[in-house]
Amino acid sequence: MTAPSRYDYTPQDAILAAGTQTQFKLKGGATFTPLPGTLAIGPVGEKAPLADQTTLEDTAKRSMAGLFDGPEKELKFQSYPADEGQLAFISAARATQIVIIQHIWPDNVTAEYEVVLLGYLRNETQGDKPIDFVVPCKQNGKTIWGKVGAAG
């Protein structure tokens, strides 16, 4: 074992998620459509499950990474009934279509991933709260990470 040693720490400022933008396009589509009113996007990315590789000769369990599995997600939006992007997304969700989602965070990190939309739900309605909706979905494949302005 290498002897532990301390590193020099300098406090840094965090970046708020306010300003994150979300867009979508139908699979095979040419251009992204903005989705204003996004409230929550859930975790973005994927993780590999554990796969057992223990043999009879082993005296302790041994594991390896299995195939990546995209998460089941819920994308949550504040309802803007006249917004064409939201209307198109709701239509795609009701038809359980496959779409590409793109996020751009304030630190200019981007993520694109394919999801199968699994429907459309109006969230719990309360008289003193804005109307919002949820689109459940399941990610297909891996996330493509990038940076605004960087050639992909």
Side-chain angles (χ1 to χ4, degrees), residues 22-41:
T22 298
Q23 306 180 82
F24 88 103
K25 67 180 178 180
L26 295 176
K27 184 175 182 176
T31 58
F32 281 96
T33 301
L35 279 171
T38 305
L39 295 172
I41 59 175

Side-chain angles (χ1 to χ4, degrees), residues 17-23 34-36 38 41 101-106 109 111:
T20 299
Q21 297 179 335
T22 298
Q23 306 180 82
L35 279 171
T38 305
I41 59 175
I101 300 289
Q102 181 186 73
H103 304 295
I104 305 171
W105 285 271
V109 170

Side-chain angles (χ1 to χ4, degrees), residues 1-148:
M1 178 172 135
T2 305
S5 63
R6 292 195 169 269
Y7 62 90
D8 291 332
Y9 171 73
T10 303
Q12 301 179 44
D13 293 329
I15 297 174
L16 292 175
T20 299
Q21 297 179 335
T22 298
Q23 306 180 82
F24 88 103
K25 67 180 178 180
L26 295 176
K27 184 175 182 176
T31 58
F32 281 96
T33 301
L35 279 171
T38 305
L39 295 172
I41 59 175
V44 176
E46 60 282 319
K47 73 175 197 171
L50 286 176
D52 185 45
Q53 64 171 346
T54 309
T55 67
L56 291 175
E57 294 88 3
D58 291 321
T59 59
K61 286 273 191 182
R62 297 183 62 237
S63 299
M64 60 186 258
L67 291 176
F68 281 101
D69 190 12
E72 290 187 26
K73 304 175 65 71
E74 284 192 343
L75 303 173
K76 184 177 178 183
F77 301 89
Q78 191 147 304
S79 180
Y80 297 156
D83 183 79
E84 291 183 19
Q86 277 196 1
L87 293 173
F89 189 66
I90 290 168
S91 178
R94 286 180 172 157
T96 61
Q97 291 187 291
I98 295 176
V99 300
I100 308 301
I101 300 289
Q102 181 186 73
H103 304 295
I104 305 171
W105 285 271
D107 61 357
N108 291 325
V109 170
T110 64
E112 281 186 26
Y113 53 93
E114 179 181 296
V115 294
V116 56
L117 302 177
L118 301 173
Y120 162 84
L121 303 151
R122 281 260 168 130
N123 226 2
E124 182 179 341
T125 302
Q126 299 177 20
D128 63 341
K129 305 284 187 216
I131 296 171
D132 59 27
F133 65 92
V134 173
V135 174
C137 54
K138 170 73 167 109
Q139 182 175 330
N140 292 329
K142 294 176 77 174
T143 303
I144 300 168
W145 294 97
K147 203 80 162 149
V148 171

